[in-house]
Amino acid sequence: MNIPQDTILKIREKFPILNRKVFNRKLVYLDNAATSQTPRQVVEAIDNMYFHTKANVHRGVHTLSQEATDMQEQTRRHIKDYINAESIEEIVFTRGTTEAINLVTSSFGEAFLHDGDEIILTVMEHHANIVPWQLLQKKINIKINVVPINSRGELDLDVYRSLFNSHTRLVSFTHVSNVLGTINPAKEIIKIAHEHGVKAMVDGAQGAPHLKVDVRELDADFYVFSSHKMYGPTGVGVLYGKRDLLEQMPPYQGGGEMIAHVSFEGTTFADLPFKFEAGTPDFVDIAAFNSALDFIEDTGMDIIAGQEHILLEHTTERLVNEIPGIRIFGTAPNKSGVISFLLENAHHYDTGMLLDKLGIAVRTGHHCAQPLMTALGIEGTVRASFAVYNTLDEADAFVDALKRVNQILS
Ligand code: PLP
């Protein structure tokens, strides 16, 4: 795909933060897998709500409350269309991917899991899709099976197939690895689960920002993601769940909004999706998330994914050719814009710190994926991750800076 640089420069203009300097150098922001930057229109939507429409949602007959409710519910409708869910009842707002997974762990766990049951995770999961299951293990004696990866960082689907037995109840896996960049064959993984009568949850934290997601095409039972990685505000996440499943699951938290009627003798719960939305939601940021989805749609997922792919290919080629001894973790042909690497003779922290001094923002460490680090036999990596506003000039600035860092550290 050929994307004119003018197109990307126009997109960049929407992100004032990209003009700032770090250590008196032009910022090159390559930490997008941790959080993406936010376009002006999203910040303006937040401003606008605080200045004109702030009132608690679903609680008032007055104009402001109704307007605020409409704005929140408009985002819900937008998300439904964005991921092609069947109904708005299937879209539950959470604080992020992590909370959405905890909701499923706790509520699906209570409704459907019993001592002796088994679930399947993969070795490339973020801690957010590991630790909640381990917390559940303290209440229910479930077994966690783990799908390994091959040398390119792809899931071993033969082992995956072999992990099913009559006790298997759920498969939960990441759509895209936040470390390796591997785009997992989600549709196939889900199909295999369903052939065994097993439900499947997709951690879409790194999927929804970079891929066209169609939950019905995937046939996912649950799909979860975070706004802040999608050019949106912090504090907002989404749990998509198939309606019949959500209906069978008990509430996750109790409080306001999620009830139909409360008495000290007993309480009945609200219908979907409100059953899972106890307390005042982050309605300002939810409303502003709508503008982030507008940004993604106006830009076009083909441009977003296309630019990220161009950057990935260009940068990878230069790194491999120009930095002797560099090790890149994750070389799957189907890969998103994430490059995890180690310089031959340098600790990842030192590499990251020196890059920062040169204005390049990358992430270092275990990336909340310690089991994956153990499988790779390392403690951590340096990770550069792209978004649509990154340019080839920035990719080159990163590689040039890394060459300097490599000289200093070797
Ligand atoms: N899952 C994956 C694959 C991630 O990359 C992340 C964040 O980096 C999460 C889950 C957690 O997302 P959040 O911190 O927005 O809840």
Side-chain angles (χ1 to χ4, degrees):
M1 187 180 199
N2 184 22
I3 301 172
Q5 281 308 289
D6 269 8
T7 309
I8 303 303
L9 294 179
K10 284 214 177 68
I11 292 169
R12 280 181 79 81
E13 284 169 13
K14 300 179 181 180
F15 293 82
I17 198 170
L18 298 177
N19 295 325
R20 73 159 283 180
K21 293 194 164 179
V22 173
F23 294 111
N24 216 20
R25 286 167 189 273
K26 227 174 137 289
L27 167 70
V28 175
Y29 185 79
L30 299 180
D31 194 17
N32 296 287
T35 197
S36 56
Q37 296 302 343
T38 308
R40 196 183 294 275
Q41 69 201 68
V42 173
V43 181
E44 283 171 359
I46 295 171
D47 249 35
N48 183 47
M49 189 135 185
Y50 275 116
F51 289 148
H52 301 288
T53 326
K54 189 181 173 210
N56 210 336
V57 288
H58 288 296
R59 307 247 169 113
V61 292
H62 64 82
T63 303
L64 260 56
S65 174
Q66 286 184 8
E67 283 178 10
T69 305
D70 284 349
M71 289 163 84
Q72 169 173 296
E73 295 309 311
Q74 205 176 324
T75 302
R76 201 189 304 272
R77 284 193 293 279
H78 202 161
I79 293 166
K80 169 199 157 290
D81 293 340
Y82 185 75
I83 61 170
N84 195 28
E86 207 165 305
S87 69
I88 53 167
E89 285 78 12
E90 297 177 321
I91 308 298
V92 176
F93 287 122
T94 65
R95 284 187 298 123
T97 302
T98 303
E99 190 182 40
I101 295 174
N102 275 275
L103 192 164
V104 172
T105 313
S106 161
S107 177
F108 180 89
E110 194 177 320
F112 295 107
L113 296 182
H114 304 97
D115 285 350
D117 283 346
E118 301 189 11
I119 64 163
I120 299 176
L121 306 179
T122 85
V123 73
M124 65 168 80
E125 294 314 307
H126 188 280
H127 295 165
N129 194 25
I130 300 173
V131 183
W133 298 109
Q134 293 174 330
L135 292 176
L136 185 66
Q137 278 182 316
K138 297 199 185 300
K139 297 184 198 154
I140 309 173
N141 185 20
I142 55 166
K143 180 172 174 212
I144 298 176
N145 298 294
V146 181
V147 185
I149 51 173
N150 64 22
S151 59
R152 289 189 298 271
E154 297 162 304
L155 292 176
D156 186 330
L157 292 189
D158 289 333
V159 175
Y160 169 57
R161 281 192 192 86
S162 75
L163 291 174
F164 286 90
N165 61 46
S166 61
H167 302 288
T168 315
R169 298 285 171 266
L170 185 86
V171 174
S172 187
F173 67 98
T174 190
H175 199 168
V176 176
S177 164
N178 66 318
V179 176
L180 306 165
T182 313
I183 302 174
N184 288 319
K187 196 172 168 182
E188 192 182 348
I189 293 171
I190 294 167
K191 188 165 170 276
I192 294 167
H194 287 170
E195 280 164 8
H196 290 86
V198 169
K199 305 293 180 204
M201 168 155 73
V202 186
D203 172 352
Q206 303 292 344
H210 308 288
L211 305 169
K212 179 88 202 87
V213 173
D214 182 330
V215 289
R216 277 192 277 178
E217 158 91 9
L218 288 173
D219 202 16
D221 296 293
F222 302 105
Y223 194 99
V224 297
F225 52 99
S226 300
S227 147
H228 72 93
K229 294 184 196 287
M230 301 172 69
Y231 309 102
T234 54
V236 179
V238 174
L239 161 65
Y240 158 80
K242 280 186 186 161
R243 189 180 182 144
D244 62 324
L245 271 176
L246 293 178
E247 263 162 5
Q248 293 177 68
M249 287 160 48
Y252 166 57
Q253 294 178 332
E257 201 62 44
M258 49 73 74
I259 54 92
H261 180 77
V262 178
S263 76
F264 281 107
E265 285 67 49
T267 291
T268 51
F269 303 121
D271 291 334
L272 291 175
F274 306 110
K275 179 172 86 172
F276 292 111
E277 293 180 357
T280 299
D282 187 352
F283 58 85
V284 172
D285 292 307
I286 290 172
F289 186 27
N290 205 18
S291 301
L293 294 174
D294 284 341
F295 166 78
I296 291 176
E297 286 170 343
D298 293 346
T299 306
M301 196 43 100
D302 50 341
I303 300 281
I304 294 174
Q307 177 67 3
E308 290 169 357
H309 190 71
I310 289 169
L311 294 163
L312 174 71
E313 299 243 289
H314 176 81
T315 311
T316 305
E317 195 181 322
R318 278 203 64 195
L319 291 177
V320 170
N321 289 333
E322 298 177 38
I323 305 196
I326 192 168
R327 282 202 290 162
I328 294 183
F329 300 91
T331 51
N334 199 14
K335 188 177 164 178
S336 102
V338 173
I339 305 176
S340 278
F341 64 92
L342 284 174
L343 295 177
E344 195 172 16
N345 295 315
H347 194 277
H348 49 275
Y349 284 130
D350 297 335
T351 310
M353 296 262 287
L354 286 180
L355 283 173
D356 183 47
K357 299 278 183 294
L358 298 171
I360 317 279
V362 292
R363 184 141 298 242
T364 59
H366 54 62
H367 315 295
C368 296
Q370 277 182 337
L372 175 60
M373 296 299 131
T374 305
L376 295 170
I378 54 176
E379 275 175 27
T381 72
V382 185
R383 181 186 71 186
S385 53
F386 301 113
V388 66
Y389 43 64
N390 289 126
T391 61
L392 283 167
D393 285 349
E394 287 185 312
D396 284 335
F398 160 60
V399 179
D400 294 341
L402 191 62
K403 285 166 79 174
R404 275 185 67 188
V405 169
N406 193 35
Q407 277 164 5
I408 295 167
L409 292 175
S410 58

